[in-house]
Amino acid sequence: MPATTLFRFMRKIIVTIAWLGCAASQASSALAQLGQPPPVMTVGWIEDVVITPGDLEIRAKLDTGARTSSINARHYELFEKNGERWVRFSVTNRLGVTRAFERRVFRIARIKRIKGKSQERPVIMLGICIGNIFRETQVNLVDRDGFNYQMLIGRRFLAKYVAVDSGRTLTTKPGCTAKAS
């Protein structure tokens, strides 16, 4: 094959590769504009999180088997405010720091227990920060004094944003910039 023919053939290959690269880049940009989900962050099965409002750091167990998150609220008081049902409770972290909360009751959950009767729990919306991920999610109030961790974070928070590595713990520190009111 003469050198000029080889040169033309190589030039066609290079142009084709460049064109394919541009097409792939444009397809990637188009997918990003269509609202593709953010990358998933991998964390351990135990993490320090910050709950908002109140900016209280607590240790939480991330449980992919639980649908809804729960937090240790040994004593809570239901009351009415502006015609709506609200709940007043406090949470103390492992360092002894306590924060008082008043939140509107989002719903009442009926929890089926393996042994005994079903249990009704108030569910509130609470902001949670893990690493750099902040989301508001449903959290039910329950006495978790018999458990090792003050909070259990379920799939409603984790789905599409957080993957749990069951072989790791305390992989990240809460560092969210967006906070709920």
Side-chain angles (χ1 to χ4, degrees), residues 6-166:
L6 181 61
F7 177 75
R8 286 183 193 148
F9 178 71
M10 293 299 289
R11 191 171 76 185
K12 284 181 181 181
I13 289 175
I14 291 171
V15 168
T16 302
I17 291 171
W19 180 84
L20 288 172
C22 289
S25 175
Q26 289 174 348
S28 176
S29 295
L31 286 174
Q33 291 175 358
L34 290 175
Q36 291 297 307
V40 173
M41 179 175 72
T42 301
V43 297
W45 70 282
I46 303 296
E47 292 292 344
D48 287 332
V49 303
V50 170
I51 56 172
T52 301
D55 292 333
L56 181 65
E57 185 171 314
I58 61 176
R59 193 146 289 169
K61 175 182 176 183
L62 283 61
D63 186 349
T64 60
R67 184 172 186 201
T68 304
S69 302
S70 62
I71 193 163
N72 187 21
R74 285 188 0 205
H75 305 289
Y76 59 83
E77 173 189 352
L78 292 167
F79 64 98
E80 195 168 306
K81 179 177 176 179
N82 300 325
E84 296 179 314
R85 194 171 357 179
W86 282 64
V87 64
R88 183 179 295 123
F89 64 100
S90 62
V91 176
T92 302
N93 71 10
R94 61 188 170 71
L95 302 175
V97 178
T98 300
R99 296 279 194 278
F101 297 87
E102 280 189 3
R103 303 297 289 168
R104 186 179 65 79
V105 174
F106 182 74
R107 66 185 174 92
I108 299 292
R110 184 176 303 273
I111 308 298
K112 295 177 186 173
R113 308 202 62 175
I114 294 171
K115 296 179 182 178
K117 300 177 183 177
S118 63
Q119 184 182 50
E120 289 189 347
R121 299 179 188 170
V123 177
I124 60 169
M125 295 300 290
L126 199 61
I128 301 173
C129 170
I130 297 177
N132 61 355
I133 295 175
F134 177 85
R135 299 184 63 209
E136 276 203 347
T137 192
Q138 295 180 32
V139 177
N140 68 60
L141 306 180
V142 64
D143 182 350
R144 290 186 56 83
D145 274 351
F147 295 94
N148 292 329
Y149 304 101
Q150 300 149 300
M151 184 167 207
L152 181 135
I153 298 178
R155 291 188 312 271
R156 281 192 170 145
F157 179 90
L158 301 170
K160 299 179 187 176
Y161 297 92
V162 180
V164 179
D165 182 341
S166 63

